[in-house]
Amino acid sequence: MGCCHYAAPAEGCDTAFSVDISAITYGPGALAEVGDHAQARGITRCALFTDKLIAGLEHLSIVRDSLIAAGVDVVVYDECRVEPTDESFLAASRFASQGGFDGYISVGGGSVIDTAKAANLYATHPAEFLTYVNAPIGGGVAVPGPLKPHIACPTTCGTGSECTGIAVFDLLAIKAKTGIVSRHMRPSQAVVDPTVTATLPATVVAASGFDVLSHALESYTARPDAARAAAARASLRPQSQGANPWSDIGCLESLRLIGDYLERAVADAGDDEARGHLMFAATLAGIAFGNAGCHLPHGMSYSVSGLVRDFQPEGYPDDKPIVPHGMSVIVNAPSVFRFTAQACPERHLRAAECLGGNTGGAGLDDAGEVVAARLIELMRATGIPNGVSGVGYGEADIPALTEGSFPQRRLLDNAPLDVSREALADLYKGALSYW
Ligand SMILES: [Zn+2]
């Protein structure tokens, strides 16, 4: 059976793909270079975004000192929220609008980087908040032009947000996650310093590592870009283009690194080699999903995290219940890949092989089971909860979980198969528990 990917584009489908990517600096000690990079980009007065936790860590002082040494005026904003909301985006945007900044620096996880993207957007192109938010929840209006320079410095090895033009938040009025997507929001530069991972608790590395894994696996198995209807104009081609030859390269290498190093990186905070490889895998996967797009595990995660009742994992702030992003994604993943394997079984087998799964003797009909088995093995080895029930949901919650995710069209439509409301409910049912 031939692979469905990269066939000649069907009538009306796109015949080209674009590669959008941040400039990237990677390596131990890179945080101390931020001041020089900022100066080279013409930044004279910057807003330095972070959160309360990171504000007390050495990473922030290294970046701030390097900016000051380069003659850049720095104003720190440490009010970024873990799991940002429209309110926290708006507060950050007000700060940005009033500060007279000509550039932005973010030091933190995806929440901090996404907050800086939103603040940069609304300070540069002011509008009513829902204007740029994804339709149908928001107006889905295209961002009118470039933003100010933004240098993003991730402090977790997961989100890949430093490489994408996506900012995700909880819209409080409807208790659901949604986002703003524009290639103009992609940070101008990512400065990725793997030494930041040495201070991360094991649960945080596990959750963010699985986020990386799912970015790569979803992008690799996304609907092929040649099967996506062409945009009216080239400049309107979506960032979620679907799987394409460029994104495949990053996905496969990222999966290989995760298969080799995830367990070691979680088990031992002092394992610089493993944590460094995981950080690089996150960057590769970020570039890949920024150009291909995720699909069902991410689409389903929005309601898993948004409807949280009382789940509180170790290693996270204990002031409110939270299902960390990577955890809310991966609990859906084995159920999803059992389902999507029928669309492109070769790709599922290849991904399982990269992850170190047992593909010996497996045929195309086994592809979903093989990839699910390897995911479950890695989840159990790293202390991830047992499916959606492991983070506090039961069968009675399936209708609410389904309703919360079904509007996530950007993600659901990027799956390699069409997903009805009933099929989505079945995927949650299959994700309740795995062992
Ligand atoms: Zn993610």
Side-chain angles (χ1 to χ4, degrees):
M1 176 181 155
C3 182
C4 56
H5 290 66
Y6 313 140
E11 184 71 28
C13 288
D14 210 343
T15 56
F17 64 91
S18 299
V19 177
D20 289 311
I21 157 171
S22 312
I24 293 170
T25 302
Y26 176 93
L31 284 183
E33 299 181 358
V34 169
D36 193 41
H37 294 304
Q39 191 191 45
R41 291 184 178 279
I43 299 175
T44 61
R45 176 177 165 79
C46 72
L48 174 51
F49 281 81
T50 191
D51 63 27
K52 290 265 189 271
L53 189 77
I54 293 159
L57 298 180
E58 196 190 9
H59 318 321
L60 192 83
S61 50
I62 291 172
V63 171
R64 189 180 47 214
D65 291 351
S66 82
L67 287 160
I68 293 168
V72 178
D73 253 2
V74 186
V75 185
V76 174
Y77 181 83
D78 65 3
E79 306 279 326
C80 297
R81 260 179 68 116
V82 175
E83 308 290 323
T85 64
D86 47 334
E87 275 177 11
S88 72
F89 271 10
L90 276 167
S93 301
R94 279 194 294 274
F95 167 81
S97 305
Q98 292 160 7
F101 304 113
D102 57 13
Y104 295 84
I105 316 291
S106 52
V107 179
S111 302
V112 169
I113 297 173
D114 284 6
T115 303
K117 290 176 187 172
N120 189 0
L121 168 61
Y122 288 97
T124 312
H125 301 292
E128 197 273 319
F129 184 72
L130 283 176
T131 305
Y132 302 122
V133 172
N134 291 337
I137 292 170
V141 172
V143 172
L147 309 187
K148 303 256 166 51
H150 173 193
I151 301 177
C153 312
T155 57
T156 59
C157 41
T159 68
S161 175
E162 69 278 8
C163 301
T164 74
I166 305 170
V168 176
F169 65 96
D170 286 313
L171 186 59
L172 295 170
I174 58 167
K175 269 189 119 187
K177 269 201 190 335
T178 181
I180 305 169
V181 179
S182 167
R183 45 176 53 89
H184 292 304
M185 284 208 303
R186 187 185 309 273
S188 333
Q189 185 167 1
V191 175
V192 184
D193 185 336
T195 58
V196 300
T197 61
T199 51
L200 296 176
T203 40
V204 174
V205 175
S208 56
F210 276 108
D211 188 29
V212 178
L213 188 161
S214 217
H215 291 156
L217 189 48
E218 291 175 52
S219 298
Y220 189 61
T221 56
R223 165 209 56 191
D225 95 284
R228 172 181 44 77
R233 295 203 316 270
S235 59
L236 298 178
R237 179 175 291 129
Q239 291 184 85
S240 292
Q241 298 172 97
N244 60 73
W246 168 262
S247 57
D248 285 355
I249 299 169
C251 294
L252 291 173
E253 179 61 5
S254 181
L255 291 170
R256 194 187 64 75
L257 289 169
I258 295 161
D260 284 350
Y261 295 106
L262 177 63
E263 286 177 76
R264 275 177 50 185
V266 173
D268 181 3
D271 191 337
D272 297 342
E273 184 194 10
R275 290 192 171 195
H277 281 304
L278 206 57
M279 193 85 177
F280 191 57
T283 302
L284 288 176
I287 298 167
F289 92 85
N291 284 287
C294 291
H295 62 83
L296 287 162
H298 269 75
M300 292 169 69
S301 80
Y302 284 10
S303 49
V304 173
S305 55
L307 299 175
V308 61
R309 282 193 286 260
D310 49 15
F311 186 72
Q312 269 186 322
E314 266 178 55
Y316 286 84
D318 58 7
D319 56 337
K320 63 181 170 68
I322 184 173
V323 185
H325 172 67
M327 237 178 237
S328 71
V329 168
I330 206 67
V331 291
N332 309 309
S335 173
V336 166
F337 293 107
R338 279 174 172 144
F339 167 70
T340 54
Q342 59 188 298
C344 43
E346 300 92 340
R347 285 188 166 244
H348 286 69
L349 279 180
R350 182 83 198 279
E353 190 185 351
C354 289
L355 283 171
N358 181 10
T359 54
L364 295 180
D365 289 346
D366 309 313
E369 204 43 55
V370 169
V371 77
R374 179 58 176 153
L375 292 175
I376 291 165
E377 188 175 38
L378 286 170
M379 289 163 74
R380 298 187 74 164
T382 52
I384 291 288
N386 183 3
V388 172
S389 65
V391 294
Y393 299 101
E395 189 139 8
D397 297 309
I398 289 177
L401 290 166
T402 306
E403 284 315 303
S405 293
F406 198 65
Q408 306 293 342
R409 298 318 315 177
R410 175 178 65 86
L411 291 158
L412 267 51
D413 293 345
N414 207 34
L417 291 171
D418 288 339
V419 184
S420 64
R421 204 177 284 265
E422 294 68 35
L424 192 61
D426 283 345
L427 290 175
Y428 279 116
K429 201 167 177 185
L432 280 173
S433 69
Y434 298 111
W435 60 84

